[in-house]
């Protein structure tokens, strides 16, 4: 038996093991291995070692989560998985398929699980002396790395939170973007809040440039769901038991980094449950934020008074929603609030209203080679990949005479 390590990547569908690094114990060259050399099998396990049970859409009962994973590419590498001409390690790149997914959950919560791989040699290899090597089995994991989490860390004050520390060698004051997760990313595993969806895209160099050159990212984590009003977890009351704790968490984070956070450039965004809380925060603290970007938000317009709407009419707000949203009807939430804000005199208020949610990256395709459709509640795919650029009437959103995307627009906002 032999050792392996893994490399996780955060994707639009969450965190997946995308590379297995085998510790061969002898050197190979780039022509010595291929995608056919090894067979990969994975059993997804809970922390107690039991097999994860999954019930997919349309299935009557849960079944064990396990399966084979095709190898896409194989090559010699160093111990970290970096490709090399020769090496004593071999990297196996595997597909973004269910057995390689690192989290499991439902609409109310998610958790990290352990991907237990067993890699078996299928084709003969030769060591430096030309001796044949066969029968290798790799079944002991020695560790995991995730390049997408460079710069990210976890903290806690009145709430758990994850955060990204931007590159800031000059120690300038930078904007802060607060991202509020959806219902499935709450709980006690803080990393779920920013890896359950592709939130780490906000720390990508491109997103950082758009957000003003560099920006802090703060992702508070709710113990249950943001819409929890103490009676119902997903009700229509528009109240939350977490509002004050969340604001205290934000205040505490800003105070801790007071020398490098520009309090005139604090942005808040969130999706679904977090979109609800985005609206709750700006209604309760209308003078605190420089801009807001709620996605598929669940704050019901019927419960917002005219006084509440008037209090935020001058705040820059960009709504995102899809017409066929399966979970939150935009006709009860985003659409009426947008129209009420415009009627109240809101000038810098926008709405990207999507016919459907499909992959904007080109990475995912259906069997016909077309962009893969996602379920229509999932507009965070479009938001985090910065695909939002059109207003409700289909025209480009323009700021200071220039067409902008959602992230570019956020990065240009500053409190008046």
């Amino acid at each position: 038996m032999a050792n392996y390590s893994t490399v996780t990547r955060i994707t639009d569908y969450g965190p997946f093991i995308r590379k297995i690094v085998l510790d061969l114990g002898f050197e190979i060259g780039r022509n010595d291995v291929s995608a056919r050399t090894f067979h990969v099998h994975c059993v997804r396990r809970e922390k107690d070692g039991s097999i994860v049970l999954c019930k997919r859409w349309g299935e009557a009962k849960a079944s064990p989560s396990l399966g084979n994973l095709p190898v896409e590419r194989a090559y010699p590498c160093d111990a970290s998985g970096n490709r090399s001409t020769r090496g004593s390690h071999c990297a196996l790149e595997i597909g973004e398929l269910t057995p390689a997914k690192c989290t499991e959950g439902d609409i109310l919560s998610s958790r990290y699980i352990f991907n237990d791989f067993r890699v078996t040699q299928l084709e003969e290899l030769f060591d430096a002396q030309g001796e044949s090597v066969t029968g290798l089995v790799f079944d002991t994991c020695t560790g995991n790395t995730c390049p997408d989490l460079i710069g990210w860390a976890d903290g806690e004050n009145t709430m758990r939170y994850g955060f990204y520390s931007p590159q800031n060698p000059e120690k300038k004051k930078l904007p802060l973007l607060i991202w509020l997760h959806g219902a499935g990313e709450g709980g006690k595993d803080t990393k779920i809040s920013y890896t359950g969806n592709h939130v780490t895209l906000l720390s990508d160099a491109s997103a950082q440039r758009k957000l003003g050159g560099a920006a802090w990212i703060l992702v508070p984590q709710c113990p249950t769901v943001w819409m929890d009003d103490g009676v119902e977890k997903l009700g229509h009351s528009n109240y939350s038991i977490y509002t004050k704790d969340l604001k205290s968490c934000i205040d505490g984070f800003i105070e801790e980094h007071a020398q490098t956070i520009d309090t005139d450039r604090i942005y808040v965004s969130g999706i679904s449950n977090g979109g609800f809380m985005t609206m709750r925060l700006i209604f309760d603290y209308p003078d605190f934020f420089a801009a807001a970007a709620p996605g598929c938000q669940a704050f019901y317009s019927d419960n917002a008074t005219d006084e509440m709407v008037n209090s935020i009419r001058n705040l820059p707000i960009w709504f995102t929603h899809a017409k066929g949203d399966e979970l939150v009807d935009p006709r009860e939430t985003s659409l009426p609030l947008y129209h009420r804000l415009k009627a109240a005199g809101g000038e810098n208020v926008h709405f990207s209203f999507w016919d459907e949610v499909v992959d904007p990256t080109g990475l995912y395709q259906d069997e016909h080679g077309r962009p893969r459709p996602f379920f229509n509640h999932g507009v965070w795919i479009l938001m985090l990949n910065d695909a939002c650029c059109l207003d409700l009437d289909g025209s480009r959103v323009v700021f200071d005479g220039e067409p902008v995307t959602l992230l570019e627009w956020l990065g240009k906002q500053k409190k008046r």
Side-chain angles (χ1 to χ4, degrees):
M1 301 301 178
N3 298 333
Y4 69 88
S5 61
T6 57
V7 179
T8 299
R9 299 309 300 253
I10 311 303
T11 78
D12 287 339
Y13 292 84
F16 285 79
I17 304 293
R18 295 306 308 275
K19 187 182 292 187
I20 304 170
V21 181
L22 309 178
D23 187 354
L24 297 174
F26 59 92
E27 276 201 356
I28 58 170
R30 61 186 178 186
N31 296 323
D32 296 335
V33 290
S34 72
R36 301 182 302 274
T37 306
F38 295 96
H39 173 267
V40 177
H41 183 78
C42 184
V43 178
R44 301 171 77 227
R45 299 186 184 278
E46 304 285 2
K47 292 180 179 179
D48 63 3
S50 61
I51 298 177
V52 172
L53 298 177
C54 297
K55 185 165 71 172
R56 303 302 176 192
W57 291 105
E59 293 182 351
K61 62 178 183 178
S63 56
S65 185
L66 48 83
N68 299 327
L69 288 157
V71 177
E72 296 180 340
R73 281 170 290 277
Y75 47 83
C77 64
D78 62 18
S80 298
N82 300 306
R83 187 191 292 263
S84 58
T85 303
R86 296 189 63 81
S88 60
H89 292 75
C90 178
L92 307 180
E93 294 185 5
I94 57 178
E96 194 176 312
L97 300 173
T98 298
K101 189 169 186 180
C102 305
T103 58
E104 186 59 41
D106 54 33
I107 192 172
L108 289 179
S109 65
S110 298
R111 64 196 182 279
Y112 266 90
I113 53 87
F114 173 63
N115 302 83
D116 187 6
F117 290 98
R118 182 181 177 88
V119 181
T120 307
Q121 182 186 3
L122 299 179
E123 295 184 344
E124 188 177 31
L125 292 172
F126 296 90
D127 63 19
Q129 288 73 43
E131 297 291 326
S132 173
V133 179
T134 59
L136 293 177
V137 177
F138 301 82
D139 67 351
T140 302
C141 184
T142 58
N144 176 74
T145 59
C146 182
D148 302 310
L149 294 182
I150 295 173
W152 286 85
D154 297 341
E156 184 173 2
N157 49 44
T158 56
M159 282 187 158
R160 298 172 184 267
Y161 60 84
F163 68 100
Y164 172 73
S165 303
Q167 297 295 313
N168 187 16
E170 299 176 12
K171 302 298 181 184
K172 298 188 298 184
K173 290 203 170 188
L174 302 175
L176 166 66
L177 172 57
I178 300 150
W179 178 268
L180 301 175
H181 62 74
E185 291 77 53
K188 296 181 180 180
D189 192 338
T190 308
K191 282 185 174 58
I192 287 285
S193 65
Y194 54 92
T195 63
N197 296 315
H198 208 170
V199 181
T200 55
L201 275 176
L202 296 173
S203 62
D204 181 78
S206 173
Q208 288 284 298
R209 285 194 299 270
K210 293 173 182 178
L211 290 169
W216 288 89
I217 311 296
L218 173 63
V219 188
Q221 186 179 39
C222 177
T224 57
V225 293
W226 299 116
M227 291 174 69
D228 190 340
D229 63 7
V231 178
E232 295 180 283
K233 286 193 167 56
L234 296 174
H236 289 195
S237 70
N238 279 5
Y239 288 100
S240 173
I241 61 175
Y242 296 115
T243 306
K244 291 183 178 179
D245 283 346
L246 173 57
K247 181 59 165 55
S248 295
C249 175
I250 295 168
D251 290 341
F253 185 81
I254 293 172
E255 182 178 356
E256 184 178 352
H257 304 282
Q259 299 303 311
T260 53
I261 290 180
D262 184 351
T263 55
D264 285 334
R265 292 187 292 166
I266 298 175
Y267 315 128
V268 59
S269 183
I271 44 94
S272 190
N273 232 260
F276 153 82
M277 185 52 88
T278 298
M279 298 304 299
R280 183 74 268 168
L281 281 179
I282 63 176
F283 278 130
D284 288 351
Y285 308 99
D287 299 321
F288 184 79
F289 300 97
C296 52
Q297 65 86 20
F299 195 100
Y300 290 87
S301 179
D302 287 351
N303 290 335
T305 65
D306 289 341
E307 289 76 17
M308 291 169 64
V309 172
N310 284 330
S311 72
I312 62 169
R313 70 183 187 277
N314 293 322
L315 179 69
I317 304 174
W318 189 322
F319 293 92
T320 303
H321 221 125
K323 296 175 183 177
D325 192 314
E326 304 88 348
L327 299 181
V328 179
D329 191 339
R331 295 169 299 180
E332 298 177 356
T333 55
S334 301
L335 271 175
L337 282 170
Y338 167 82
H339 288 302
R340 291 175 67 185
L341 283 164
K342 296 298 280 187
E347 296 180 357
N348 195 2
V349 179
H350 308 284
F351 197 135
S352 288
F353 201 26
W354 295 84
D355 291 330
E356 58 180 343
V357 178
V358 297
D359 170 54
T361 67
L363 296 175
Y364 305 97
Q365 298 177 345
D366 65 14
E367 64 273 18
H368 304 293
R370 298 173 300 206
R372 183 193 296 176
F374 197 65
F375 82 124
N376 287 319
H377 185 58
V379 293
W380 54 84
I381 298 270
L382 306 168
M383 294 171 67
L384 291 168
N385 281 286
D386 204 27
C388 300
C389 61
L390 301 183
D391 219 329
L392 189 59
D393 62 2
S395 64
R396 282 295 304 265
V397 175
V398 174
F399 189 81
D400 283 343
E402 296 290 333
V404 290
T405 63
L406 174 58
L407 292 184
E408 290 170 339
W409 174 86
L410 272 176
K412 294 178 182 295
Q413 307 307 315
K414 192 171 185 176
K415 281 208 298 188
R416 296 181 179 180

